[in-house]
Structures are given as C-alpha cells and as structure tokens.
Amino acid sequence: MTQQTVTRGGTAPPVDDAVTVGGSLTRELRAVWALWQREMLRLARSRAQVAMALLSPLLFLLLLGPGLDTLLDTQATNAAGAGQGSYVQYLFPGILIMAVQMPALRAGGAIVRDREAGLLRATLVAPVRRDTLLVGRCMGGASAAAFQAALLLMLGPLVGLPADPGLLLQLFGGLWLVAISLTMLGALAAVLIRRVETFQAMLGMVTLPLVMLSGAMFPVGALPGWLTPVILANPLTYAVDAIRRTASVESVGPAASGPTWGGWQPPVALELAVMLLLGLLALVVAARRFNRTD
C-alpha cells in the first residue's frame, strides 16, 4: 500500500508505508538507545554512589554471613542434622538480589526528579511515543542495576561458588531479568508518585520487608505460617529462589528455602517468568498513566 501527498506542483511520488513504518521504528529504537546511554553515563559519573550502594550488601556478606555461619556450625555440632550447607553460600544469592533491588527501584526516582526539575517536560516534546521514553529509562536503569550486581557476582568463587563462566553467565542473565522487572515496578511507582520525598519514603518503607520476606536471609519455611500469602505475593521471593537454585546452593536447616504452590515447587524458568510478567504488567499500567501526564 502506498500513500500520495499533494504538493504545489502536483502529486508527489508515492511513499511506501513500509518505509514510513521502518523510519518510525528506527526513531523509537534510537530514543531507547539514547536514554540507555544517558543512564550508563550517569552510572560512570557516580562511582561514589555505586560504592555506597554496594556497601550495605558487602557488610551483610562479610559480617553477618561469617557470624551466622559460625553459629549454625556450632548448632550443627550440638544437634546432628541441624545444618546442611554453608550460610555464607546460602546468603550470597540474597546479597546479589539486594545489590539489584535498590538501584533498580531507585531508577524510578530519576523520573520523579526529572519531573520536578522540568527535564521530563523537555523529553516529552521528542517526536517519539511516550511509552518509548519509559522503556528506554527502564532498560538503562536495569542495565545499571545488573552491572552493580555483576561486581558482587565476581566474588562468587570466594564464597565457594564454582568459577564456571557458564554458571556466572546464567546468574548474570537471571539478575538482569530481575533488574528489568524491578525497574518496571519502580517506574510504575514513579509515575504514580509526584514528589521525590514521597518516593524515597516509599522505598524506605518497602525495601526491608521485601528482603526479609523473600528468603534472602533465611529459609521462607522458617517464617510463621500466617505470612505465607505475603511471601508468595512478594516478587523477590521468586527472584532469590531462582538465583539460589541456579547457583545450586543448599539450604540451611531443615526448613524449605523456596516458595511452593500447594506443595509443588515451581521451576526456575517459571519463577523468572513470574517476575518478568509482573514487571511487564507494571510497565503497561505505567505507560497508560504516563501517556496522560504532561
């Protein structure tokens, strides 16, 4: 199908619709690429912020991990079968998720800050779809979060994980899927919240409960039974269990370390799919709301 436009001198040559569509798609992809580059440049210029973001997970790994590992070894000596795997190894996947969680969710804070500073209005005049701008910000934020987690992932052999490039690549791929899902959730929160102070308060309120109820620190089977619905609704529960099972890390103690649906444990691929589906739903809702903002 072709289109014809009328000019002052007559009818212009027909324009192929495929060319128009192709040019539009190229323009959208270039916008996503530009926003991704912007987030990467921001990451490269914020080395101190990256170091501070990694400080908390490192403290958990270097202080909490060995301390509780010693305690569990003592209990295992006094009661046969009380402990199974190394607690430091058990904690490491949770630390990786912690390293992804904060920068991924904080990526939404950039949207709130740009709105308050007036920069968001400047980007909205670009000849691209508004949801494309949202996708570009999510891709950049997820890549930055996954990069920070990759810095900790290189410490895996020090805590007993095999120095297998294939395994490390699988873990990084899983972390990137978790990062993009959490970034989409952060984007939804940023579209709904219009003040930076409110957004930061929301992050402070939900971050710790999400981690504590995900199995990052201890098996979810050791938590009270009445928390089971909250644990199953927590997206980090599936993220932590997927990374832990990919790394083939044993549980500590007799309690189940991952979520179960009616006694059935979902496979790793399904757990990551749940995370990604939740993120995509959040992105769709955020895009619909974002298209109505100015």
Side-chain angles (χ1 to χ4, degrees):
M1 183 182 296
T2 59
Q3 295 178 344
Q4 290 184 339
T5 57
V6 179
T7 63
R8 182 175 299 178
T11 303
V15 179
D16 194 342
D17 284 346
V19 175
T20 304
V21 174
S24 176
L25 178 60
T26 302
R27 185 168 59 247
E28 303 293 328
L29 292 177
R30 289 179 62 185
V32 172
W33 173 253
L35 290 170
W36 182 87
Q37 284 185 311
R38 178 173 181 253
E39 293 301 322
M40 293 300 100
L41 289 174
R42 178 181 295 176
L43 176 67
R45 296 171 181 174
S46 305
R47 298 178 183 177
Q49 183 177 353
V50 172
M52 293 178 62
L54 295 177
L55 180 60
S56 179
L58 280 174
L59 288 177
F60 274 98
L61 182 63
L62 299 177
L63 298 180
L64 179 65
L68 288 180
D69 200 11
T70 302
L71 178 61
L72 290 174
D73 286 343
T74 302
Q75 291 180 345
T77 302
N78 297 331
Q84 296 179 11
S86 167
Y87 182 75
V88 176
Q89 288 185 10
Y90 179 84
L91 181 64
F92 188 66
I95 296 300
L96 294 176
I97 296 300
M98 289 177 60
V100 165
Q101 179 194 25
M102 284 308 298
L105 293 178
R106 283 177 179 169
I111 299 177
V112 183
R113 287 192 300 271
D114 288 352
R115 181 191 291 122
E116 288 194 347
L119 296 177
L120 183 62
R121 186 182 297 272
T123 59
L124 291 178
V125 300
V128 295
R129 294 170 56 90
R130 290 189 173 187
D131 44 6
T132 297
L133 300 176
L134 201 60
V135 170
R137 287 175 175 269
C138 289
M139 294 294 291
S143 298
F147 172 78
Q148 295 184 52
L151 296 178
L152 287 179
L153 184 58
M154 291 187 295
L155 300 178
L158 298 180
V159 300
L161 292 183
D164 181 4
L167 174 61
L168 295 179
L169 186 61
Q170 290 182 36
L171 290 173
F172 179 77
L175 290 172
W176 195 89
L177 287 177
V178 173
I180 189 64
S181 302
L182 292 177
T183 305
M184 291 174 182
L185 292 172
L188 175 59
V191 171
L192 298 176
I193 299 173
R194 306 189 68 87
R195 294 181 60 85
V196 174
E197 295 81 2
T198 307
F199 187 85
Q200 296 295 342
M202 184 273 299
L203 283 186
M205 182 178 64
V206 304
T207 299
L208 185 59
L210 286 177
V211 171
M212 299 301 291
L213 296 176
S214 67
M217 301 297 177
F218 34 77
V220 295
L223 295 172
W226 59 270
L227 285 174
T228 299
V230 181
I231 293 171
L232 294 179
N234 182 5
L236 288 190
T237 302
Y238 305 98
V240 171
D241 189 59
I243 298 301
R244 183 169 288 139
R245 291 167 63 188
T246 300
S248 300
V249 175
E250 295 183 1
S251 181
V252 289
S257 61
T260 58
W261 298 344
W264 176 71
Q265 188 175 26
V268 172
L270 183 56
E271 291 180 319
L272 292 175
V274 168
M275 282 287 305
L276 187 59
L277 178 60
L278 183 61
L280 290 175
L281 289 176
L283 181 63
V284 170
V285 176
R288 291 174 61 91
R289 182 65 179 267
F290 194 59
N291 284 330
R292 296 199 298 265
T293 61
D294 51 22

